[in-house]
Amino acid sequence: MQTETLNRKPSPTASHVSRHHGLVLVVDDEEANRMLLADPLGTHGYEVIEAENGEQALQKVAQRPPDVILLDVMMPRMDGFEVCRRLKKDPLTAHIPILIVTALSERMERMMGIAAGASDFLTKPVDLQELTLRVGHAARSKRLFDQLQTEHGRAESLLLNSLPDPIAERMKQGEVNIADHHPDVSVLVADLVGFTTLAAHIGPDQVVYLLNEIFSGFDLLALEHGLEKIKTIGDAYMVAGGIPLARADHAEAIANLALDLMADIEKFNSSYNTSIHLRIGISTGSVVAGVIGRWKFAYDLWGDTVNLACRLESLGEAGTILVSDLTYQRLKDKFRFDGSRSVEIKGRPAEVVHTLLGRL
């Protein structure tokens, strides 16, 4: 007479060890067969759950994926081969080691098990020493797989955090030397005026904390505007619009970000009783963008547009936003400006610059 699925309570010692050895699902339509497998595994420190048919096994796996499955072949309605095939087709369960337990020893049945995705076989009547050895090997394989997946997830997360998503995807596909020419982008460079003086009078932990607070807020604003943070250099911050994916309104988005950064630093000063100001330079034009580094990757920009944004930032006064003439031509119908002036920039002709005040 069959009974409902049985979950035997392991001894305190076994329960303690089971956290290390793993969870095993035993699937068999005969309770006596389940007991023959479950009891020695529980004694050896495994947590064991049971299912008496294929449908119940699939439900158990969905509720709590085990580390190893011991699966009988000859069961009513759904045999072990079909259960194995279904589990292996599902990406969420395909990595779970499945040991087929069968009285069938013919080569054809074993080939069917391999085709279904079985990891190993146990022949009835099961030798208890062989049982613990094979389950132990399968559990170790599962733990190794889980560790590799965790490390892979961490590596992918680091890649995505340090590179724009489209660039990270290209690297994951095997592309190594990434260098792109972008003919039309806008670059913003912001510098914290007064932070160096503040940093000289506070502890190093406070310096890092305040910078993290400021730049984390900037990161959120850049994300809201759909712009790409390029890097921080000391207390300077660089953002670009129109890369790595082109967009027609990159100059407008950068200008809106610049105004929001100014407002954000005022909120910061109010919250922390500081007097830090921003000095921002914006330019528009072509850049070269690419990934540098062999082990520590960095996505960076090069070109005259970048150099000009840096120079405009350094020429501006605290609390001002200087934009190049090309950027101004894109923005003049939507933003307010305070006149224009010509400035001398080393190594290039005089540049007409404009001070961005706000939105129209």
Side-chain angles (χ1 to χ4, degrees):
M1 178 178 175
Q2 292 182 352
T3 61
E4 286 297 313
T5 300
L6 190 61
N7 290 292
R8 293 183 178 77
K9 184 177 180 181
S11 65
T13 302
S15 176
H16 173 76
V17 181
S18 69
R19 290 195 294 270
H20 175 71
H21 280 183
L23 176 67
V24 179
L25 171 63
V26 176
V27 188
D28 197 301
D29 59 328
E30 295 290 340
E31 184 182 6
N33 291 337
R34 297 197 303 271
M35 185 183 301
L36 287 173
L37 298 174
D39 287 353
L41 290 174
T43 302
H44 281 81
Y46 294 93
E47 181 182 357
V48 181
I49 56 177
E50 303 175 16
E52 60 185 34
N53 56 58
E55 292 88 347
Q56 198 176 79
L58 295 176
Q59 293 172 3
K60 289 278 185 178
V61 172
Q63 293 168 0
R64 188 183 177 194
D67 297 299
V68 182
I69 298 174
L70 297 179
L71 182 59
D72 185 36
V73 171
M74 305 300 290
M75 294 185 294
R77 296 192 299 275
M78 184 188 301
D79 64 25
F81 296 134
E82 178 60 22
V83 175
C84 189
R85 279 191 289 269
R86 294 195 185 188
L87 291 172
K88 293 300 177 181
K89 284 181 180 179
D90 187 343
L92 296 177
T93 57
H95 61 283
I96 301 175
I98 298 177
L99 279 63
I100 295 288
V101 184
T102 178
L104 302 174
S105 58
E106 287 82 357
R107 180 173 179 273
M108 182 58 69
E109 277 71 20
R110 287 185 175 267
M111 293 299 292
M112 290 174 62
I114 293 173
S119 307
D120 205 347
F121 298 88
L122 284 169
T123 303
K124 295 179 180 179
V126 176
D127 179 84
L128 297 185
Q129 185 176 6
E130 182 183 9
L131 168 68
T132 55
L133 287 174
R134 290 184 184 272
V135 170
H137 175 74
R140 285 191 294 273
S141 297
K142 172 64 164 49
R143 284 197 297 273
L144 179 59
F145 177 87
D146 291 342
Q147 291 171 4
L148 290 173
Q149 289 298 103
T150 299
E151 292 303 319
H152 176 75
R154 289 174 181 168
E156 187 164 307
S157 177
L158 287 172
L159 190 66
L160 291 173
N161 284 335
S162 60
L163 301 174
D165 290 351
I167 302 300
E169 284 299 321
R170 288 166 64 181
M171 293 196 70
K172 285 163 60 178
Q173 296 300 320
E175 194 171 348
V176 178
N177 299 314
I178 295 179
D180 302 313
H181 176 258
H182 297 274
D184 188 34
V185 305
S186 291
V187 178
L188 176 153
V189 177
D191 187 57
L192 298 175
V193 181
F195 189 84
T196 301
T197 303
L198 174 64
H201 295 86
I202 59 178
D205 55 336
Q206 292 175 296
V207 171
V208 174
Y209 173 80
L210 292 177
L211 272 180
N212 186 58
E213 285 291 293
I214 293 171
F215 287 156
S216 293
F218 289 5
D219 288 348
L220 287 175
L221 290 171
L223 185 64
E224 288 175 7
H225 287 282
L227 300 168
E228 192 65 47
K229 172 190 175 181
I230 304 301
K231 59 184 174 182
T232 58
I233 311 169
D235 53 10
Y237 189 85
M238 181 184 290
V239 183
I243 60 166
L245 301 178
R247 55 183 292 184
D249 64 340
H250 54 79
E252 183 179 343
I254 281 285
N256 279 315
L257 174 65
L259 295 171
D260 287 349
L261 294 181
M262 287 293 187
D264 194 63
I265 205 68
E266 289 305 315
K267 291 179 182 177
F268 178 87
N269 286 331
S270 177
S271 298
Y272 289 92
N273 194 29
T274 53
S275 56
I276 300 169
H277 299 284
L278 275 183
R279 194 169 55 205
I280 295 176
I282 300 173
S283 65
T284 299
S286 65
V287 301
V288 172
V291 178
I292 57 174
R294 293 182 180 273
W295 296 279
K296 294 185 178 180
F297 302 114
Y299 184 72
D300 210 344
L301 308 180
W302 301 271
D304 189 59
T305 302
V306 179
N307 296 336
L308 180 56
C310 292
R311 292 297 297 144
L312 293 181
E313 175 273 307
S314 65
L315 289 170
E317 297 179 358
T320 63
I321 305 169
L322 282 186
V323 306
S324 69
D325 191 55
L326 184 55
T327 308
Y328 168 77
Q329 298 302 327
R330 305 281 187 95
L331 302 176
K332 61 184 180 179
D333 295 329
K334 295 184 178 180
F335 293 83
R336 293 186 295 109
F337 291 88
D338 182 19
S340 61
R341 60 189 173 97
S342 179
V343 297
E344 296 292 332
I345 298 178
K346 185 178 179 180
R348 58 180 297 139
E351 178 77 23
V352 177
V353 299
H354 311 262
T355 301
L356 173 64
L357 297 180
R359 304 171 182 90
L360 286 178

